[in-house]
Amino acid sequence: MMTNGVVHANVFGIKDWVTPYKIAVLVLLNEMGRTGEGAVSLMERRRLNQLLLPLLQGPDITLSKLYKLIEESCPQLANSVQIRIKLMAEGELKDMEQFFDDLSDSFSGTEPEVHKTSVVGLFLRHMILAYSKLSFSQVFKLYTALQQYFQNGEKKPVEDADMELASREESERKMEKEELDVSIREEEVSCSGPLSQKQAEFFLSQQASLLKNDETKALTPASLQKELNNLLKFNPDFAEAHYLSYLNNLRVQDVFSSTHSLLHYFDRLILTGAESKSNGEEGYGRSLRYAALNLAALHCRFGHYQQAELALQEAIRIAQESNDHVCLQHCLSWLYVLGQKRSDSYVLLEHSVKKAVHFGLPRAFAGKTANKLMDALKDSDLLHWKHSLSELIDISIAQKTAIWRLYGRSTMALQQAQLLLSMNSLESVNAGVQQNNTESFAVALGHLAELHAEQGCFAAASEVLKHLKERFPPNSQHAQLWMLCDQKIQFDRAMNDGKYHLADSVVTGITALNSIEGVYRKAIVLQAQNQMSEAHKLLQKLLTHCQKIRNTEMVISVLLSVAELYWRSSSPTIALPVLLQALALSKEYRLQHLASETVLNLAFAQALSLLHMAIEPILADGAVLDKGRAMFLVAKCQVASAASYEPLKKAAVLEAAIENLNEAKNYFAKVDCKEQIRDVVYFQARLYHTLGKTQERNRCAMLFRQLHQDLPFHGVPLINLL
């Protein structure tokens, strides 16, 4: 069979074959050997040498594109190559035969132009061998294909082609000149016939690397699938192509095609015996257990948790029979994910945690202190750095960022996020591709955006989110991470600004990305709108669900919201047990941020002395909004304690309270929380009236009136909040 000048009786039965494009590359190599060292400058020769590897390994490209690449490296040589190809294509068949006969001269002499074992030497020998095996009819078809290849390249003058491609390749030209790398683009692969084995392996490895490290530079899902289907048409048993098809279908959330490709990958892997060759008798079983593990991960990703659990149990059973601890550790990770997704999977997780404790694996939710947990992670980090496992290093730093935020240490979380972003990758990837589009970087950047938003730096948070959108487009696999961060920041800003209708519209987007977070935010909106009964019902349902799946952080947040609901409903005695329960959970799991927030709520009902337990960690690591609330509460407690003081001392205490209120107002202004500012100026006006400062009282009263007219109010008396 003959396609585009390619003879392939059995695809991948031979290592390589001759195509018109490869003849053009052979002409380039021949001209490079014939050109003297003085005719080509050192920089031009260096650029040509670096250009050769992607030309030899990559897929066939058009002749005009090949001319352009050579011209960018060495214009003089590009002209010589163009003349040689034109003479061969417009001449006779014997010119092509003579050209291949002359190629063998490159290896002759005491100092040959090309060494036989070099990359170029191996390519030349493969081409000479493949050409010598062709029959006369196949040689004639190859020459006809060469003529057609030349005519297609000459249809448009080079100048017209430059004008047509200028806008598209202007940015690519800079990358090619600086990094001298030819990336596989859609117009290149579309012109090629069936790829040889080496070309196919290079194409698959490059696209897989791009999907892993920099998805924006990979082919579009449709174009990549078209090329994979072309590969599989000529070789249906090409296992690696099936696996890349599985990864490509995951990008577009195609559950049927991704499952189909994954099963075909492991079927072909077992049938071809690829695993058995590298792993001995253990290869067959290894393929089976990792097939089940990947199937479980696939089902979990699409929300099929019951099927995922069944596949995971099968993987665990086979791994235990084979005593494969590596596979079991992967299973443990997915058990934890399932434990978060399904309530009835948590029993299975508890059994696996006992095994994890046996192997000394740390868990943040076990209630360990930060120093003990970080010491446990340090041991694994030492192995990662020792073996230069950059991907695991990135994951570890991203985990530390999340753990420090979980513990309420925003400064340490910020430090870890900055460390990951400023770290150079240790893993060698293709030129022009940086290992910065992985899930770890998406997580770190998301935390960075939320940390800036918590401190009132919304412009900086917006810039981080803008960068995330460019790095992870909406159709990429990690886009949901920044989408959720963006929605949460929009929600918080709308709530701070008193625009509850906008916050309610954002809840829909949050629910689509995280159902538990969406229900919690919906309850907060209902509570702010004074719909207490609806908010209480929603919070109680959410509390029951979170307790069932053991989502401790959300349980504490819901308890705090329930307690606040009781406060606003003038039922403080009911709120106290709820707050004590939240405080006990926060202390047990070392969640400093939630513990401090709980103590603030308790201090509102208890005393000023209790407030000092929480004020220091909040001012050190808390969000700006929490700092404002803390200072507001300090002022309230000062006013309450001054009721029994003598006049002079009472006046001094009230002056100090006013200063704390000014500080609280500054904090609220940073996050544009107008509702809280309204409460602060109202309280200040009352204090100035008590002190007899009429001018300051009138100023605060006027500001209160302006804010009160701008903001919605739902009938809760301000005096109850004081």
Side-chain angles (χ1 to χ4, degrees):
M1 186 168 56
M2 188 88 175
T3 304
N4 292 346
V6 178
V7 182
H8 49 89
N10 180 18
V11 176
F12 297 166
I14 58 176
K15 290 290 184 182
D16 223 333
W17 47 68
V18 186
T19 64
Y21 162 75
K22 291 177 181 176
I23 293 177
V25 175
L26 290 172
V27 171
L28 169 63
L29 294 174
N30 189 255
E31 285 296 320
M32 288 178 64
R34 293 172 57 183
T35 304
E37 294 186 3
V40 179
S41 66
L42 181 62
M43 286 302 299
E44 288 177 337
R45 185 167 293 276
R46 181 179 298 174
R47 286 197 294 264
L48 285 170
N49 290 337
Q50 292 180 328
L51 177 66
L52 283 179
L53 188 60
L55 289 181
L56 298 179
Q57 292 181 332
D60 294 4
I61 60 176
T62 60
L63 187 60
S64 59
K65 178 62 182 175
L66 180 62
Y67 286 156
K68 190 170 187 61
L69 291 174
I70 301 173
E71 187 176 5
E72 290 174 356
S73 300
C74 181
Q76 177 185 354
L77 194 62
N79 186 48
S80 301
V81 171
Q82 188 173 5
I83 294 174
R84 284 284 302 276
I85 295 177
K86 181 177 181 180
L87 292 175
M88 189 185 304
E90 293 180 349
E92 299 178 355
L93 179 59
K94 65 178 182 179
D95 296 328
M96 186 179 71
E97 293 181 345
Q98 184 63 40
F99 171 73
F100 276 94
D101 291 338
D102 295 340
L103 284 179
S104 302
D105 297 338
S106 302
F107 305 109
S108 61
T110 55
E111 294 184 0
E113 299 174 359
V114 180
H115 293 283
K116 292 184 177 181
T117 57
S118 65
V119 175
V120 175
L122 290 173
F123 176 75
L124 289 175
R125 290 163 63 191
H126 287 161
M127 290 298 99
I128 294 171
L129 180 62
Y131 182 81
S132 64
K133 290 183 177 181
L134 297 180
S135 63
F136 178 78
S137 60
Q138 291 173 336
V139 170
F140 179 76
K141 290 179 180 179
L142 176 61
Y143 183 70
T144 305
L146 176 63
Q147 291 177 320
Q148 185 64 38
Y149 182 69
F150 172 75
Q151 292 171 4
N152 292 338
E154 293 294 320
K155 278 182 180 179
K156 294 182 180 180
V158 178
E159 292 79 11
D160 293 343
D162 287 345
M163 294 176 60
E164 181 182 351
L165 299 175
S167 59
R168 182 175 59 189
E169 295 184 346
E170 183 175 355
S171 60
E172 296 173 350
R173 186 182 302 114
K174 182 178 180 181
M175 181 188 71
E176 290 169 352
K177 285 184 177 180
E178 292 180 354
E179 300 166 356
L180 295 168
D181 175 52
V182 180
S183 59
I184 299 177
R185 289 178 288 274
E186 297 177 23
E187 67 270 15
E188 296 175 1
V189 294
S190 60
C191 74
S192 62
L195 304 178
S196 66
Q197 181 177 355
K198 286 186 176 181
Q199 287 178 322
E201 290 173 352
F202 177 75
F203 172 75
L204 295 177
S205 64
Q206 186 181 51
Q207 290 300 310
S209 176
L210 289 173
L211 290 181
K212 174 187 173 184
N213 299 308
D214 200 349
E215 188 177 341
T216 57
K217 293 184 180 178
L219 292 179
T220 62
S223 301
L224 180 56
Q225 194 60 44
K226 179 181 177 182
E227 295 305 317
L228 292 173
N229 291 339
N230 185 49
L231 277 175
L232 294 171
K233 179 175 68 175
F234 295 108
N235 186 8
D237 294 331
F238 197 13
E240 288 77 7
H242 284 289
Y243 191 78
L244 187 59
S245 176
Y246 155 69
L247 296 178
N248 189 47
N249 286 311
L250 280 182
R251 299 165 69 191
V252 293
Q253 304 296 312
D254 188 346
V255 59
F256 174 78
S257 299
S258 56
T259 306
H260 178 81
S261 298
L262 180 64
L263 295 177
H264 272 287
Y265 165 69
F266 283 102
D267 288 344
R268 267 56 181 186
L269 202 65
I270 295 172
L271 289 174
T272 56
E275 282 290 299
S276 299
K277 293 177 181 177
S278 59
N279 296 281
E281 297 179 357
E282 198 50 35
Y284 180 80
R286 187 175 188 274
S287 296
L288 289 179
R289 56 182 175 269
Y290 278 98
L293 179 61
N294 279 271
L295 190 61
L298 177 64
H299 283 306
C300 186
R301 177 162 184 162
F302 287 106
H304 309 154
Y305 302 125
Q306 187 174 2
Q307 295 92 325
E309 186 176 333
L310 292 174
L312 197 56
Q313 290 182 15
E314 179 68 13
I316 292 173
R317 183 186 63 80
I318 303 175
Q320 287 176 337
E321 291 176 355
S322 305
N323 200 25
D324 188 346
H325 292 288
V326 176
C327 185
L328 286 173
Q329 296 301 342
H330 287 300
C331 294
L332 174 64
S333 301
W334 283 105
L335 278 173
Y336 176 71
V337 175
L338 284 176
Q340 292 181 313
K341 301 294 184 182
R342 283 175 52 88
S343 58
D344 53 350
S345 298
Y346 210 91
V347 178
L348 187 60
L349 178 62
E350 288 298 328
H351 291 295
S352 64
V353 168
K354 295 177 182 178
K355 190 71 174 176
V357 173
H358 174 73
F359 286 106
L361 297 176
R363 291 183 66 232
F365 275 99
K368 290 182 178 292
T369 58
N371 61 327
K372 291 183 179 179
L373 182 60
M374 292 303 167
D375 284 341
L377 291 175
K378 180 184 68 176
D379 297 334
S380 59
D381 286 344
L382 289 175
L383 292 175
H384 299 160
W385 285 100
K386 181 179 179 180
H387 299 286
S388 299
L389 303 174
S390 59
E391 185 177 359
L392 295 180
I393 292 171
D394 295 345
I395 293 173
S396 176
I397 297 177
Q399 286 176 338
K400 290 178 183 177
T401 304
I403 289 171
W404 281 122
R405 284 205 71 197
L406 183 67
Y407 283 138
R409 303 285 187 176
S410 60
T411 305
M412 294 301 299
L414 186 63
Q415 182 190 57
Q416 292 295 321
Q418 294 285 2
L419 175 63
L420 178 59
L421 296 177
S422 62
M423 200 179 74
N424 293 323
S425 172
L426 300 176
E427 182 178 346
S428 59
V429 292
N430 294 335
V433 179
Q434 298 177 350
Q435 191 186 352
N436 56 4
N437 282 33
T438 58
E439 184 179 10
S440 303
F441 279 85
V443 171
L445 285 169
H447 283 303
L448 201 61
E450 291 184 353
L451 287 168
H452 279 88
E454 286 178 359
Q455 301 303 319
C457 304
F458 294 113
S462 178
E463 287 296 322
V464 174
L465 288 171
K466 180 182 177 181
H467 182 68
L468 270 168
K469 294 174 184 178
E470 294 174 354
R471 182 175 288 187
F472 302 94
N475 61 344
S476 62
Q477 54 184 334
H478 303 313
Q480 291 185 356
L481 296 172
W482 65 258
M483 288 180 179
L484 182 58
C485 294
D486 188 18
Q487 296 287 309
K488 288 163 69 175
I489 292 174
Q490 289 183 33
F491 177 87
D492 292 337
R493 295 195 68 177
M495 290 296 296
N496 293 342
D497 207 15
K499 299 177 181 178
Y500 304 134
H501 63 288
L502 292 179
D504 196 22
S505 63
V506 176
V507 166
T508 306
I510 296 177
T511 306
L513 298 168
N514 189 322
S515 58
I516 294 178
E517 190 74 30
V519 173
Y520 174 66
R521 304 272 174 160
K522 179 66 176 179
I524 292 177
V525 174
L526 292 174
Q527 184 176 335
Q529 293 174 341
N530 205 30
Q531 301 180 36
M532 299 301 180
S533 58
E534 292 84 353
H536 185 264
K537 291 178 183 177
L538 209 57
L539 288 171
Q540 288 297 329
K541 290 181 180 178
L542 182 60
L543 180 62
T544 303
H545 176 70
C546 291
Q547 287 174 337
K548 191 175 182 181
I549 65 174
R550 304 192 184 187
N551 188 343
T552 309
E553 188 179 9
M554 184 56 70
V555 166
I556 299 172
S557 299
V558 172
L559 288 173
L560 291 175
S561 297
V562 171
E564 184 180 352
L565 188 147
Y566 290 145
W567 283 118
R568 298 184 64 174
S569 302
S570 301
S571 303
T573 55
I574 305 176
L576 282 176
V578 177
L579 288 173
L580 291 174
Q581 183 184 357
L583 182 61
L585 285 172
S586 302
K587 294 291 186 181
E588 179 183 355
Y589 289 95
R590 316 283 180 172
L591 306 179
Q592 176 186 284
H593 170 68
L594 293 173
S596 301
E597 191 174 343
T598 306
V599 172
L600 279 180
N601 285 274
L602 285 170
F604 183 75
Q606 298 299 315
L608 183 62
S609 59
L610 187 61
L611 183 60
H612 293 300
M613 296 172 54
I615 193 70
E616 183 178 346
I618 285 182
L619 293 179
D621 296 303
V624 171
L625 187 60
D626 291 334
K627 293 177 183 178
R629 288 172 177 168
M631 297 308 299
F632 193 14
L633 186 54
V634 168
K636 290 180 182 180
C637 292
Q638 286 175 326
V639 173
S641 63
S644 59
Y645 292 168
E646 58 184 23
L648 291 177
K649 187 177 180 181
K650 180 178 181 180
V653 172
L654 293 182
E655 290 285 356
I658 290 174
E659 291 298 323
N660 288 328
L661 288 173
N662 285 328
E663 188 174 353
K665 185 168 63 175
N666 291 334
Y667 282 131
F668 292 138
K670 285 185 178 181
V671 292
D672 198 24
C673 190
K674 296 179 181 178
E675 189 173 6
Q676 294 282 2
I677 296 175
R678 178 184 63 180
D679 295 344
V680 169
V681 296
Y682 174 80
F683 201 35
Q684 281 182 318
R686 295 282 299 272
L687 294 180
Y688 282 128
H689 180 74
T690 304
L691 293 172
K693 297 184 177 183
T694 307
Q695 185 177 358
E696 289 83 355
R697 180 202 64 186
N698 293 341
R699 177 171 51 81
C700 291
M702 183 183 66
L703 183 57
F704 167 77
R705 183 178 181 181
Q706 292 175 351
L707 292 171
H708 192 59
Q709 290 175 345
D710 294 339
L711 294 174
F713 192 62
H714 299 284
V716 179
L718 278 173
I719 194 66
N720 288 352
L721 300 176
L722 301 179

